[in-house]
Amino acid sequence: MTLGLALVQSRRIAPALLAQLEQSAREHHAQLIDEIISSGAMSAHDVAVFAADKYQLPLLDLNQYNLQNVPPVLAGNRQFHALRLLPLGRRDNRLILATSDPANTAPVEQIRQKFNLSVDLVVVEHDKLMRHVSTAVDDSPEMRAVQPHMAEKIRIEYDPVASAAAQRNKTAADIDDAPVVRFLQKLLTEALIRGASDLHFEPFEFFYRVRFRIDGVLQEVAQPPLDIRDKIATRIKVLSRLDISEKRVPQDGRMKLLIAVPKDKNDKEKVEKAIDFRVSTLPTLFGEKIVIRILDSSPDKLDIDQLGYEPDQKALLLDVIKRPYGMVLVTGPTGSGKTLSLYTFLKLLNEGDINISTAEDPAEIQLPGVNQVNINDKAGLTFASALRAFLRQDPDIIMVGEIRDLETADISIKAAQTGHLVFSTLHTNDAPTTLTRMMNMGVAPFNIASSVLMITAQRLARRLCPQCKRPGAIPEQPLLEAGFTQADLDGSWQPYHPVGCEHCNGSGYKGRIGIYQVMPVTEAIQDIILSHGTALQIAEQARKDGVRSLRESGLLKVKRGETSLEEVLATTNL
């Protein structure tokens, strides 16, 4: 039974008034309890007293409760706040949550299933709950640690989870631009603090949400009022120098944010750091969806030892990338770290006597000493035209952001055959299929066999949090089905599982690690290419040459406790 029906049955409000309130809630994209209180039909205190009595739950005055005693791992978890729930504590396997509408059981059930805990509810007044939920978003451990050091220009005061009732009487024209600007700056800043790679602004018919992609997983962080979706889109488009009047077609742009960050982990002195953002807009049924990709252009993270290559894979790579000519291809899906790998190679090769040129769409990492070109299809600056220009610029090393067509592939291969070292990427599932993909594009097998030196396929898996990961047994049969051999199950190691703590925001994972398949093009593989062999034949020969598959490389990291078996199964195929 909903709260509205319970109030009608108890004769606290009339059926006709309930119908009006429900209609108003639908029109304003609010919840019924917002309309009941904002309309004056009942006070927040009266609703709380009624709900506590009706559902036989304790009634708590939040003003008299010390929220500082709430464990940080609970207080900083935005999943509760987005569901209008306030965590008050935990006793063994029981979670204590405050709610103003105990009849709305869906959020509580979602939390129960997510954390696998029993839930004890207490009833609180709605206005006090919303005030504390709003405060909790800005008072998370991460924000508390960083806010004192933020540059003044990116301090935010706008409340992203203000109740719909508070926004009910404001139209889009009435909303001041300044709060929207501060709200957007806050989201971008918080995304950087939490290590997000992308921000998603998604409009729907009855709500508007913002999600961060953290360690490859999307997490909802806010549901701003639906009325300001156009204001947010306009602000992003202005910063990205996009056409604010064009809402019918997708657009792409870039913007930059300055943020104060410490010089190093132990230094209290802050320096202003410029972060680039790539922006993509997409018209949908209910407005423009916007995705912002964070492009941290700092070259400091370009360390091959941190990428996750196995020692033998690293040795093979270092041998190949130091050859004077040929082609090295990196393959994998979008977001698998291909660009980071390529720039790590370039950083190793970037010396005073080497001329390096890159063509990208767009350049994501700025590397001093490297000549970087942004592709501009509208102006006629394509990958193919940039490559032709590079060949007249006396290059030693060329990096092509992506081989998309036969023309780009042909020019790249000719460059590799005429004394240049060429790096590029393709979108394929693994290393063997990359060679057959090039043949399907129309590249002659002889050219492939004579120019391609190595192909490395990669995926990114979430790294287990070192603070809270714990060992746990897994039955033998699932391990064998995953790809372990009977010899691997010798009892000398044990798999680790995610737990969740304050350090990893309760997810059990912190950061990501690469899983790689490094395949040199040997003479035997060249023979298969020249005979128009299949990807299966190439894969079989690669296995004979000692090349590990992506799954096998992932299982090595499971044995070392760097990631979980679930992550490897989710990111690789047998």
Side-chain angles (χ1 to χ4, degrees):
M1 181 184 298
T2 65
L3 181 63
L5 289 177
L7 290 169
V8 168
Q9 287 189 358
S10 301
R11 299 184 180 180
R12 298 300 181 94
I13 61 175
L17 177 58
L18 175 63
Q20 293 175 7
L21 293 173
E22 289 176 336
Q23 177 63 26
S24 179
R26 286 191 293 270
E27 291 175 355
H28 297 120
H29 314 299
Q31 293 190 13
L32 179 60
I33 191 170
D34 295 321
E35 297 299 321
I36 291 173
I37 295 170
S38 63
S39 67
M42 291 181 69
S43 68
H45 177 73
D46 290 342
V47 171
V49 171
F50 168 81
D53 179 64
K54 175 67 177 178
Y55 297 100
Q56 295 295 296
L57 295 171
L59 179 64
L60 176 69
D61 184 357
L62 279 178
N63 288 345
Q64 304 301 318
Y65 189 84
N66 186 4
L67 290 174
Q68 297 299 322
N69 294 329
V70 179
V73 68
L74 294 178
N77 196 313
R78 286 159 178 76
Q79 295 182 62
F80 297 110
H81 312 145
L83 296 172
R84 294 175 141 194
L85 297 170
L86 191 66
L88 301 179
R90 177 176 173 178
R91 297 172 184 168
D92 298 325
N93 67 333
R94 305 192 71 83
L95 188 65
I96 304 171
L97 295 179
T99 179
S100 58
D101 184 2
N104 186 7
T105 59
V108 178
E109 184 61 29
Q110 185 174 336
I111 292 296
R112 181 184 290 114
Q113 293 181 2
K114 172 70 176 178
F115 294 95
N116 194 25
L117 294 172
S118 299
V119 174
D120 291 334
L121 290 179
V122 298
V123 178
V124 296
E125 295 168 55
H126 185 68
D127 53 350
K128 295 178 181 178
L129 173 69
M130 296 308 298
R131 185 163 58 250
H132 281 287
V133 165
S134 302
T135 303
V137 172
D138 284 339
D139 199 35
S140 65
E142 301 95 334
M143 293 300 291
R144 284 202 304 269
V146 177
Q147 277 177 338
H149 312 301
M150 286 183 185
E152 182 65 30
K153 69 184 74 175
I154 55 174
R155 286 208 180 124
I156 310 303
E157 296 146 11
Y158 185 69
D159 176 14
V161 291
S163 66
Q167 300 289 338
R168 189 165 63 93
N169 296 321
K170 292 185 178 182
T171 63
D174 295 328
I175 296 177
D176 182 23
D177 283 341
V180 174
V181 171
R182 292 195 296 271
F183 174 50
L184 178 60
Q185 288 176 330
K186 173 185 175 177
L187 286 173
L188 294 174
T189 303
E190 188 175 354
L192 289 169
I193 294 167
R194 298 178 62 184
S197 61
D198 302 87
L199 298 85
H200 291 240
F201 297 80
E202 300 170 309
F204 298 95
E205 185 175 7
F206 298 117
F207 67 97
Y208 184 57
R209 73 180 178 188
V210 182
R211 296 192 290 175
F212 292 170
R213 187 177 293 279
I214 301 175
D215 293 337
V217 179
L218 282 172
Q219 301 177 13
E220 183 174 316
V221 295
Q223 281 199 18
L226 193 61
D227 290 340
I228 69 171
R229 60 184 174 185
D230 292 334
K231 288 279 187 179
I232 293 175
T234 299
R235 177 62 181 170
I236 294 173
K237 291 165 79 172
V238 167
L239 291 173
S240 309
R241 299 181 182 179
L242 300 177
D243 185 353
I244 62 174
S245 64
E246 182 57 77
K247 301 180 180 181
R248 300 167 298 174
V249 296
Q251 298 187 68
D252 295 299
R254 293 172 69 99
M255 61 184 183
K256 181 170 290 189
L257 175 71
L258 295 176
I259 183 171
V261 297
K263 286 185 176 180
D264 57 59
K265 293 181 179 179
N266 301 318
D267 196 344
K268 293 183 178 180
E269 184 181 353
K270 300 296 183 292
V271 294
E272 210 166 60
K273 183 178 180 181
I275 304 294
D276 288 318
F277 300 87
R278 187 173 68 199
V279 179
S280 173
T281 71
L282 178 69
T284 67
L285 289 175
F286 304 106
E288 288 182 286
K289 175 183 177 180
I290 299 178
V291 175
I292 300 177
R293 166 67 59 88
I294 299 176
L295 306 175
D296 188 352
S297 58
S298 171
D300 299 336
K301 59 185 179 181
L302 302 177
D303 185 351
I304 194 168
D305 291 324
Q306 296 180 6
L307 295 183
Y309 287 102
E310 301 297 329
D312 57 334
Q313 294 175 335
K314 176 184 172 182
L316 284 171
L317 275 169
L318 293 178
D319 175 64
V320 168
I321 66 175
K322 291 181 180 179
R323 296 186 187 181
Y325 57 87
M327 178 181 285
V328 177
L329 296 173
V330 179
T331 181
T334 301
S336 60
K338 298 187 298 295
T339 300
L340 186 62
S341 294
L342 287 176
Y343 267 97
T344 300
F345 304 158
L346 294 182
K347 184 181 180 182
L348 291 171
L349 300 170
N350 186 20
E351 299 176 355
D353 58 347
I354 299 295
N355 179 20
I356 303 176
S357 296
T358 72
E360 303 163 81
D361 186 19
E364 296 187 10
I365 299 175
Q366 297 174 15
L367 193 59
V370 173
N371 306 291
Q372 297 174 264
V373 175
N374 273 336
I375 296 303
N376 187 341
D377 289 326
K378 293 182 180 178
L381 181 57
T382 63
F383 281 117
S385 61
L387 275 171
R388 291 193 187 94
F390 287 168
L391 294 177
R392 295 190 292 271
Q393 292 277 316
D394 186 29
D396 296 299
I397 299 173
I398 296 173
M399 196 267 272
V400 185
E402 181 183 352
I403 294 179
R404 298 177 177 174
D405 50 48
L406 177 59
E407 183 181 17
T408 305
D410 276 337
I411 299 174
S412 299
I413 285 176
K414 289 176 182 177
Q417 292 172 333
T418 54
H420 308 93
L421 184 61
V422 180
F423 295 98
S424 190
T425 70
L426 276 174
H427 286 170
T428 56
N429 290 327
D430 56 18
T433 56
T434 304
L435 296 171
T436 55
R437 167 74 190 283
M438 294 184 74
M439 287 189 279
N440 291 336
M441 290 173 64
V443 181
F446 172 80
N447 286 332
I448 298 173
S450 62
S451 60
V452 180
L453 302 175
M454 173 177 284
I455 301 171
T456 172
Q458 62 185 70
R459 299 289 189 275
L460 287 179
R462 290 183 293 172
R463 190 192 297 267
L464 283 168
C465 174
Q467 305 293 328
C468 65
K469 67 179 182 180
R470 60 173 175 82
I474 297 178
E476 182 178 291
Q477 188 59 33
L479 292 174
L480 293 173
E481 292 175 354
F484 285 107
T485 65
Q486 195 67 52
D488 292 326
L489 308 181
D490 56 4
S492 62
W493 62 276
Q494 54 184 334
Y496 281 78
H497 299 277
V499 176
C501 65
E502 181 180 358
H503 182 68
C504 59
N505 293 319
S507 69
Y509 296 94
K510 187 70 174 179
R512 290 196 283 179
I513 188 170
I515 298 174
Y516 301 94
Q517 179 186 30
V518 177
M519 188 184 81
V521 179
T522 60
E523 291 184 4
I525 292 178
Q526 289 176 342
D527 291 339
I528 296 174
I529 296 171
L530 292 173
S531 61
H532 295 80
T534 65
L536 290 175
Q537 291 174 308
I538 296 173
E540 181 60 31
Q541 181 59 48
R543 182 176 294 277
K544 293 177 181 177
D545 294 336
V547 176
R548 283 187 295 271
S549 67
L550 286 166
R551 172 64 62 84
E552 290 168 340
S553 294
L555 295 180
L556 288 178
K557 291 174 170 54
V558 173
K559 291 180 69 174
R560 289 197 296 268
E562 295 175 347
T563 189
S564 66
L565 181 62
E566 294 83 1
E567 271 296 293
V568 171
L569 295 179
T571 55
T572 64
N573 293 325
L574 276 175

